[in-house]
């Protein structure tokens, strides 16, 4: 089990600030890279920080911005998504990268588009998995999308069924699950043998706020009890928004709580 701090908590061109969150923990906390290669200047900044990242465990999110994995093969959206994925894979190739996170989709959609989007996403999952395997990086499927953004492609049972059909490693984002009204403990029980990681944050049960772990209506202590009972070896990724992460002392307090609570 590793604990990671997601770079989703820092603005793209403030990437170097990532180290101020993890260095106080003397190697006990790693980095989940939320890549922003679509931003001018980010590539050069990432390269500047690259050597320092080698000192930490790393996980990596597939590109989110300007990326859509339900896009039909050959379309402009698909091509752009693959360009950003290639940039990301090349950037993390020689880091200690545990996995790459996959979303079936990022965009909002009309219900009439759902079936076609899902078929495209499954095809693209296989192609992206092959790309990741060239770098010895497993591809992990996350429950992406929230109802309030009209981009939840899979509901609770559909997500469970999709992950079983793919026989894939799974990352559960508890904030997304809570905002969508899912029974998080049930999802954990159903997919326990496939779950290798969690994104942890909190919200009001509707908006995907990415707030601190105790700042919301999700019962975080209840989640941790079930986590320790069912998937105690799974990684934990603290995935806050920049507004929440601006409270650096609060982030350090939350990570310290996690380290102390999960210490064996």
């Amino acid at each position: 089990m590793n604990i990671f701090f997601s770079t989703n908590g820092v603005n793209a061109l403030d990437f170097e600030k990532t180290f101020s969150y993890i260095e106080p923990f003397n190697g006990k906390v790693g980095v989940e890279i939320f890549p922003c290669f679509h931003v001018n200047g980010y590539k050069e900044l990432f390269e500047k920080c690259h050597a320092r990242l080698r000192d930490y465990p790393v996980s990596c999110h597939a590109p989110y911005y300007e990326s859509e994995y339900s896009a039909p093969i050959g379309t402009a959206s698909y091509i752009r998504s693959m360009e950003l994925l290639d940039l990301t894979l090349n950037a993390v190739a020689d880091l200690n990268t545990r996995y790459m996170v996959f979303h079936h989709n990022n965009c909002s959609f009309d219900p009439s588009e759902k079936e076609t989007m899902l078929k495209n996403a499954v095809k693209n999952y296989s192609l992206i998995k092959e790309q990741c395997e060239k770098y010895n990086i497993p591809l992990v499927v996350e429950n992406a999308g929230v109802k309030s953004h009209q981009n939840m492609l899979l509901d609770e049972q559909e997500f469970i069924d999709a992950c079983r059909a793919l026989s894939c490693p799974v990352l559960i984002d508890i904030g997304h699950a809570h905002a969508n009204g899912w029974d998080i403990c049930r999802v954990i029980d159903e997919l326990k043998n496939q779950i290798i990681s969690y994104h942890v944050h909190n919200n009001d049960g509707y908006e995907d706020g990415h707030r601190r772990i105790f700042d919301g209506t999700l019962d975080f202590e209840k989640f941790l009890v079930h986590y320790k009972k069912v998937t105690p070896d799974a990684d934990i990724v603290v995935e806050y928004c920049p507004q929440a992460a601006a409270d650096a002392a609060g982030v350090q307090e939350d990570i310290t709580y996690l380290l102390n609570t999960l210490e064996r």
Side-chain angles (χ1 to χ4, degrees):
M1 187 274 286
N2 289 294
I3 293 178
F4 297 94
F5 173 78
S6 170
T7 63
N8 186 61
V10 297
N11 293 316
L13 297 182
D14 291 328
F15 185 85
E16 201 164 2
K17 287 185 179 179
T18 300
F19 298 101
S20 68
Y21 292 94
I22 62 175
E23 284 177 342
F25 297 100
N26 299 313
K28 292 182 179 179
V29 176
V31 180
E32 179 155 292
I33 297 164
F34 195 90
C36 293
F37 288 100
H38 66 290
V39 175
N40 289 334
Y42 180 85
K43 183 174 184 290
E44 292 75 17
L45 185 58
F46 189 92
E47 289 170 351
K48 178 184 175 183
C49 297
H50 189 270
R52 293 174 72 183
L53 288 168
R54 289 179 180 155
D55 295 332
Y56 298 94
V58 169
S59 57
C60 188
H61 210 291
Y64 174 81
Y65 298 107
E66 299 185 13
S67 297
E68 180 50 53
Y69 305 110
S70 69
I73 294 171
T75 60
S77 180
Y78 173 86
I79 292 168
R80 179 57 172 161
S81 301
M82 295 306 108
E83 287 175 349
L84 291 171
L85 178 69
D86 285 344
L87 280 170
T88 302
L89 285 169
N90 285 322
V92 303
D94 62 347
L95 300 177
N96 181 25
T97 307
R98 288 177 57 82
Y99 55 78
M100 175 78 73
V101 181
F102 174 83
H103 287 184
H104 278 80
N105 69 300
N106 294 319
C107 68
S108 60
F109 62 94
D110 184 273
S112 64
E113 302 173 286
K114 177 173 177 172
E115 185 177 349
T116 299
M117 287 176 64
L118 185 55
K119 286 180 180 178
N120 290 336
V122 171
K123 287 180 184 177
N124 291 337
Y125 165 83
S126 296
L127 294 172
I128 293 170
K129 182 172 178 282
E130 288 178 9
Q131 282 291 95
C132 290
E133 285 173 347
K134 294 176 184 177
Y135 297 85
N136 296 313
I137 299 174
L139 188 61
V140 178
V141 175
E142 176 184 355
N143 56 308
V146 291
K147 289 179 181 177
S148 62
H149 293 171
Q150 298 181 320
N151 65 346
M152 188 188 76
L153 188 63
L154 300 170
D155 66 22
E156 180 178 329
Q157 188 59 50
E158 289 169 337
F159 179 75
I160 291 168
D161 292 343
C163 290
R164 285 176 173 165
L166 291 172
S167 298
C168 58
V170 173
L171 182 152
I172 300 298
D173 186 305
I174 65 171
H176 295 166
H178 181 60
N180 291 328
W182 293 11
D183 183 337
I184 296 172
C185 291
R186 174 181 178 266
V187 175
I188 293 171
D189 289 339
E190 293 289 335
L191 293 174
K192 59 187 175 183
N193 295 326
Q194 292 175 251
I195 297 171
I196 68 165
S197 187
Y198 293 87
H199 283 166
V200 300
H201 48 96
N202 213 320
N203 58 56
D204 62 3
Y206 180 73
E207 292 290 348
D208 184 25
H210 284 260
R211 286 148 45 174
R212 290 178 57 194
I213 51 177
F214 290 108
D215 181 18
T217 58
L218 187 158
D219 187 339
F220 190 74
E221 288 184 340
K222 178 182 177 182
F223 157 71
L224 274 189
V225 168
H226 208 66
Y227 161 89
K228 289 194 286 185
K229 177 182 176 182
V230 182
T231 56
D233 296 323
D235 293 337
I236 297 282
V237 182
V238 176
E239 192 185 48
Y240 292 167
C241 66
Q243 292 80 7
D247 180 3
V251 175
Q252 185 167 350
E253 177 184 324
D254 292 348
I255 293 175
T256 299
Y257 169 83
L258 289 168
L259 287 168
N260 291 339
T261 304
L262 300 178
E263 193 174 54
R264 296 186 185 84

